[in-house]
Amino acid sequence: MRILVVGSGGREHAILHALRLENPDAALYAAPGNPGTAPLAANLPIAADDIDRIADAADAYAIDLVVIGPEAPLAIGLADRLRAEGRRVVGPNAAAAQVEASKAFSKRLMQKAGIRTAASATFTDLDLALAYVDSHPEPLVVKASGLAAGKGAVVCATRGEARDTVRAMLGAGIFGDAGRTVVIEAFLEGEEISVLALTDGHDVTLLPAAQDHKRLGAGDTGPNTGGMGAYAPVALATHALLERTRRDVLRPMLAALRENGTPFSGILYAGLMVDRDGVPSVVEFNCRLGDPETEVVLPLVESGLSDCFLAIAEGRAPTPLRLRDGAAVTTVLAAAGYPDAPKKGAAITLPTSLPEGVTIYHAGTVRDADGTLRVSGGRVLAVTAVAPTFAEAQRRSRETAAAVQFDGKQYRDDIGWREAARLRA
Ligand code: AMP
Ligand code: GLY
């Protein structure tokens, strides 16, 4: 088996780690990978969105299966190109990747399929958008429709703030083309969970539900980020809630995508807001595995991931996964200045030995010519602990995160606080 994983983050390191454990003898490749994937796979110096060179590499290395990690290459048609060349791919074609790349598209399909989601309207005209804001109750949410690296959704406490946000997106064009269409929607109360589904476009195999921590600061304060940590499973996500999500969210969305002529194959990520009565509404769909969710859900898969990837890549129904008991918690270590202006270059010192069940996934790291590991991006490392209990996983993740050293390191020492409070109650 020869497998290529496209991407360079903690998610891709976690995918390769899981694939290596299941396939000790496989030839694994990463494009471009990172210093953490280097011991697991051959890192090819090819950017994740360089479609031509990835297609050439898949040919040159006779790749049997390509797993595409990030949304950007999916949105520009990497999967289409590879499929057209007869390759097995995990990841949707560009038309189906619009579930993430166009919130306007995603909302339209959700409305058509009757999937619970915040009431919304879509605008390209500034004056019409401002008039809509003026008639909307507070708080409200303004979103750039296109891909904006996790920064495109702005929760606005007041209409004034929403007006400013609409002007910035539609007027000043702060997100470029991604913000030339905006979605304005009602604010949903509740607790967020991420449900990741492996799918052939019809059936789904669910990964354990995870909870991300989007805000930079402890207690969910400060600016939004790509995600500062996660845990899985989530007690709130009961079997009944997950089955309801399969029935009322995932299957109807997949059906709507098929009827739209844009069938979806790959990983459909439902970002859900669960209200006080345990009813889920969709906040967003993504067309890929989450980051940092992947770093907690894949370590809980004992076996079956490669088989399931292969099944959906061949258009067969997703096969079941065998899950491990216990819990996983990951703590993200971010660079100084993250999320606005991450500072690169600081030397990183990793602990010489890790507690049982702890893995450090690399994200924004580089190894320079003399072998020093350095910060090269906003999210630098993800420290995952798997343990028999949530509390133990939380402690080991937090303590190992504290032991990693680099200048300006930022991390949250309260990842999983909601779960901890739930378990105390
Ligand atoms: P999105 O880019 O749509 O995933 O939004 C990013 C984050 O903004 C979400 O994870 C939520 O925390 C928050 N958010 C987005 N839409 C809503 C909403 N309608 N109500 C409450 N929070 C939201
Ligand atoms: N952690 C959120 C995301 O991957 O979109």
Side-chain angles (χ1 to χ4, degrees):
M1 192 65 171
R2 308 170 69 80
I3 309 175
L4 169 64
V5 175
V6 175
S8 64
R11 167 181 49 213
E12 288 75 26
H13 186 178
I15 294 170
L16 282 160
H17 188 90
L19 291 176
R20 178 52 82 203
L21 287 174
E22 287 189 359
N23 308 279
D25 302 323
L28 301 183
Y29 298 85
N34 65 38
T37 66
L40 300 166
N43 283 347
L44 309 175
I46 303 175
D49 59 0
D50 190 339
I51 291 183
D52 288 336
R53 293 189 59 218
I54 289 174
D56 288 348
D59 206 27
Y61 295 100
I63 298 296
D64 300 305
L65 177 69
V66 184
V67 182
I68 303 174
E71 63 277 16
L74 292 166
I76 59 172
L78 177 58
D80 306 57
R81 168 71 174 273
L82 293 167
R83 286 200 175 95
E85 295 179 358
R87 243 165 260 292
R88 300 185 187 93
V89 182
V90 176
N93 283 351
Q98 287 181 91
V99 292
E100 174 169 3
S102 167
K103 290 189 193 291
F105 171 92
S106 183
K107 278 288 192 184
R108 186 154 29 83
L109 287 195
M110 279 189 259
Q111 275 152 13
K112 217 162 138 190
I115 296 168
R116 274 184 86 96
T117 183
S120 71
T122 298
F123 298 94
T124 52
D125 181 88
L126 178 60
D127 292 328
L128 292 176
L130 290 173
Y132 185 77
V133 166
D134 283 335
S135 67
H136 201 291
E138 298 172 341
L140 63 172
V141 186
V142 179
K143 299 181 176 184
S145 178
L147 295 179
K151 293 181 184 166
V154 184
V155 176
C156 303
T158 64
R159 281 185 286 274
E161 205 183 313
R163 273 191 294 272
D164 291 345
T165 307
V166 165
R167 280 199 196 92
M169 291 184 190
L170 287 179
I174 54 163
F175 293 121
D177 285 347
R180 296 286 172 211
T181 300
V182 301
V183 173
I184 301 174
E185 68 179 32
F187 179 78
L188 297 168
E189 307 248 18
E191 187 168 337
E192 281 186 83
I193 57 169
S194 306
V195 177
L196 312 183
L198 293 129
T199 182
D200 62 343
H202 293 262
D203 293 316
V204 300
T205 288
L206 298 184
L207 286 158
Q211 186 164 68
D212 190 9
H213 296 60
K214 293 241 158 85
R215 303 295 197 102
L216 181 68
D220 293 336
T221 55
N224 259 321
T225 70
M228 294 299 290
Y231 66 91
V234 185
L236 175 73
T238 57
H239 181 72
L241 178 64
L242 291 176
E243 286 313 308
R244 179 175 187 157
T245 300
R246 186 199 303 270
R247 187 192 66 204
D248 295 347
V249 175
L250 295 165
R251 284 180 147 278
M253 190 61 174
L254 291 170
L257 282 155
R258 292 197 307 271
E259 280 157 26
N260 191 53
T262 52
F264 187 102
S265 148
I267 291 114
L268 185 60
Y269 164 143
L272 303 175
M273 190 71 81
V274 182
D275 73 11
R276 234 176 307 161
D277 301 322
V279 179
S281 294
V282 175
V283 174
E284 61 166 345
F285 281 108
N286 292 322
C287 63
R288 52 171 173 85
L289 289 167
D291 194 347
E293 287 92 334
T294 305
E295 292 95 306
V296 288
V297 298
L298 293 192
L300 294 176
V301 176
E302 192 169 291
S303 64
L305 184 70
S306 318
D307 286 344
C308 193
F309 275 172
L310 207 52
I312 61 175
E314 291 178 349
R316 291 182 283 119
T319 48
L321 302 171
R322 194 191 168 91
L323 301 179
R324 219 182 283 286
D325 290 332
V329 175
T330 195
T331 303
V332 169
L333 303 177
Y338 180 75
D340 293 334
K343 202 166 160 254
K344 300 177 184 176
I348 302 167
T349 308
L350 299 178
T352 45
S353 71
L354 296 177
E356 197 194 328
V358 173
T359 307
I360 299 183
Y361 297 111
H362 290 236
T365 69
V366 284
R367 206 174 281 289
D368 65 17
D370 70 7
T372 306
L373 193 65
R374 292 188 184 279
V375 171
S376 70
R379 289 189 289 174
V380 181
L381 299 161
V383 180
T384 297
V386 179
T389 63
F390 166 80
E392 192 54 32
Q394 189 187 37
R395 188 178 65 77
R396 288 183 205 167
S397 174
R398 180 170 49 210
E399 287 179 3
T400 310
V404 173
Q405 292 169 10
F406 60 86
D407 276 353
K409 177 181 82 172
Q410 305 189 72
Y411 74 101
R412 284 181 57 167
D413 66 2
D414 69 340
I415 300 302
W417 67 272
R418 283 196 166 84
E419 190 78 352
R422 223 185 322 267
L423 294 173
R424 273 196 307 272

